[in-house]
Amino acid sequence: MKRIPGSIKLVVITFYCLAGLFALIQTDAFAKDASTQQGKAQQLSKLDNATCLGCHELSNGSLHVSGAKSESGQPHGISQEKFVKSVHNEMQCVTCHKEITDASSPHKLGPGPKPDCVACHLELWETAKKENLTNEKARLGVVVRNVETYKNSFHARPNADDKTRVNAACDDCHNTHIFSVPPQGTTRRTDWHLTIPMVCGENCHADQLEEYAESIHGKNVLEMRNLKAADCTDCHTSHSITSTLKNTFKLSITENCGTCHTENLDTYRDTYHGQVNKLGYGYTAKCYDCHGSHGILSPSDPKSKVHPNNRLKTCQKCHKEATQGFVTFSPHANTSSFERYPQVWIVSRFMWSLLAGVFIFFWLHTGLWWYREAQDRKARKVHPERRKESK
Ligand code: HEC
Ligand code: HEC
Ligand code: HEC
Ligand code: HEC
Ligand code: HEC
Ligand code: HEC
Ligand code: HEC
Ligand code: HEC
């Protein structure tokens, strides 16, 4: 057999080595490619919270996805930090967001319903009742109670401009993603409570908030963090808010002021206005007709509606013919304070002494009379003029 020359051997071996190496590189690359493909497919079907937050995490205040609404100023980001502290922290995004069926951008929205606090929580409560867990899950009962009161409120009605939505839904006041109720008595609870005027005012009731911020209540709440002063919900309630034009509101608001200003409610009840109001008529002067509603100031403030300079004008809203003399009437006069209401004090003391004097004189006189009678009987004294009368 003829021997193959060494040089050809070398060429063939080199060829095979190179071919092998090439193949190795090729398959490796293929494998890599395949694994990324597979990964992509997996990610597309993954609907866990981490994936969602991959795009929706609120950092720097906006969503980092091109085409997102946040670029036009609409918030779309979720703060993961706050979400994990919320009452819904153990839930999957897609448990609520049944309409989201992919993790692509933008989503092709599925047919599922949009999340709805009311429907979901009514169902949860029914389940808790069936399982006899109403005591353990008492807080869920609070949610349902709030739903019930909310249902009859002004906010649950269709909006006048856009009938497809209500005036204010739960998540307009409570951001579902971060909603959590701090325990009573903690500073976090105080902080939460102090945000109420902003919740009402920032997006919807800016005019009222502006006026309120200048009032004695607003200054106490917003500047001095005084929880004892009235915020929006102390006067309007939080979930059973009614139209302020209704008679029920006009009657209940008086009681609401009175829960804090008990003395003023008592003295108001003693007046003509208060009596008429108590009988169920809302047309008469109520606290806010004289004091205003959102811009209430101390009566000593020259801008107050009941400051002596402005009082006549305030009364004239209803008492058209009133003159300066009319406002000497004190809506909160009481008989116990000489410094504030000296005339009333003097008149009341005079009436008391008159009453006491009459009774003292009466009993003294009668007593002396009886005494004389007794003495006369003892002395068998004859009174001819009396016998004549009795004949
Ligand atoms: C690849 C990025 C990305 C991922 C992952 C993602 N989203 Fe989105 N999502 C977006 C973008 C972008 C928009 C905004 C589209 C727009 O503004 O029209 C959006 C909008 C939404 C909306 C508002 C839809 C509406 O009514 O217009 C919801 C709800 C939502 N995403 C939930 C989710 C949930 C739940 C997940 C996890 C399953 C998720 N997203 C995962 C990018 C993403
Ligand atoms: C307890 C239920 C619930 C959970 C859990 C939940 N959401 Fe929402 N989400 C809502 C509600 C309610 C809305 C408001 C819907 C509306 O007004 O149409 C909303 C709105 C959104 C929107 C629209 C943007 C906006 O602010 O209006 C996005 C985006 C969104 N959610 C993403 C998520 C992501 C991401 C998660 C998981 C980290 C998540 N949600 C978890 C209930 C939930
Ligand atoms: C898709 C269903 C769903 C939606 C929508 C939803 N929740 Fe919840 N919510 C839950 C579940 C589940 C829990 C936990 C229940 C438990 O503790 O057993 C919960 C818990 C709560 C709790 C705490 C109860 C406790 O045990 O302390 C409150 C408060 C609450 N939700 C309020 C709301 C509000 C307000 C909204 C709307 C802004 C809302 N939820 C929307 C399902 C939902
Ligand atoms: C107009 C705004 C507004 C709307 C709409 C609203 N709430 Fe509230 N809600 C409030 C305010 C304000 C508070 C805080 C009250 C407080 O601190 O005394 C509150 C408190 C709560 C609490 C905590 C109660 C407690 O005592 O711990 C729950 C639960 C709640 N709301 C559920 C709901 C549900 C469910 C809906 C929808 C059916 C809803 N809210 C609609 C304003 C609103
Ligand atoms: C001291 C009680 C009180 C407080 C606090 C209060 N309101 Fe009012 N509000 C009233 C009274 C009384 C009326 C009805 C009479 C009127 O229109 O002035 C009213 C009326 C309204 C109306 C109906 C429209 C209007 O102006 O007549 C809105 C809206 C309103 N309030 C929002 C708010 C908001 C938002 C806050 C918190 C920033 C707030 N209120 C705080 C007593 C109050
Ligand atoms: C007819 C008008 C009128 C009505 C109605 C009225 N007030 Fe007054 N209020 C005044 C005047 C005027 C003052 C100034 C003090 C004075 O002259 O007695 C005043 C003073 C006050 C003060 C300051 C503290 C004080 O005692 O001087 C408070 C608080 C107050 N009113 C609350 C109320 C409440 C609460 C109601 C309803 C239950 C109410 N007012 C109804 C006119 C009214
Ligand atoms: C939640 C309790 C609360 C409610 C409800 C409330 N107030 Fe007040 N109000 C306060 C507090 C606290 C102050 C501040 C007292 C102070 O600084 O001396 C105040 C101050 C006032 C003052 C000034 C008192 C002064 O001596 O300068 C008037 C007037 C007043 N409120 C009227 C009203 C009227 C009218 C209503 C109902 C429409 C009302 N308040 C509802 C708590 C309340
Ligand atoms: C919202 C309207 C309203 C305002 C504001 C008002 N009143 Fe009256 N007031 C009435 C009504 C209604 C009666 C009952 C009159 C009747 O039925 O004849 C009444 C009755 C009275 C009466 C007893 C009956 C009478 O006519 O002599 C006095 C006194 C009085 N008001 C004083 C005042 C004073 C002072 C002010 C201002 C600080 C004031 N009122 C503000 C509506 C108002």
Side-chain angles (χ1 to χ4, degrees), residues 104 120 146 239 241 245 263 274 329 382 384 389:
S104 58
C120 186
N146 288 350
H239 298 109
I241 296 173
L245 302 174
E263 237 171 69
F329 167 79
V382 210
E389 268 170 25

Side-chain angles (χ1 to χ4, degrees), residues 192-210:
W192 187 58
H193 195 85
L194 292 174
T195 62
I196 291 175
M198 301 304 159
V199 171
C200 309
E202 263 174 355
N203 292 326
C204 301
H205 303 296
D207 293 350
Q208 287 81 8
L209 175 61
E210 196 182 324

Side-chain angles (χ1 to χ4, degrees), residues 87-88 91 95-96 98 115-117 120-121 124 137 139-140 143 170-171 174 176 179 181:
V87 289
H88 299 120
M91 294 178 70
T95 311
C96 287
K98 295 199 165 62
D116 177 2
C117 316
C120 186
H121 270 278
L124 282 176
K137 304 203 166 182
R139 294 285 306 160
L140 289 181
V143 181
C170 313
D171 57 271
H174 307 299
T176 322
F179 186 57
V181 189

Side-chain angles (χ1 to χ4, degrees), residues 190 193-198 212-213 215-232 234:
T190 310
H193 195 85
L194 292 174
T195 62
I196 291 175
M198 301 304 159
Y212 170 77
S215 77
I216 185 157
H217 294 135
K219 287 225 166 82
N220 267 275
V221 170
L222 300 172
E223 287 169 23
M224 296 171 227
R225 293 172 60 86
N226 177 8
L227 285 187
K228 291 208 181 88
D231 66 27
C232 317
D234 289 312

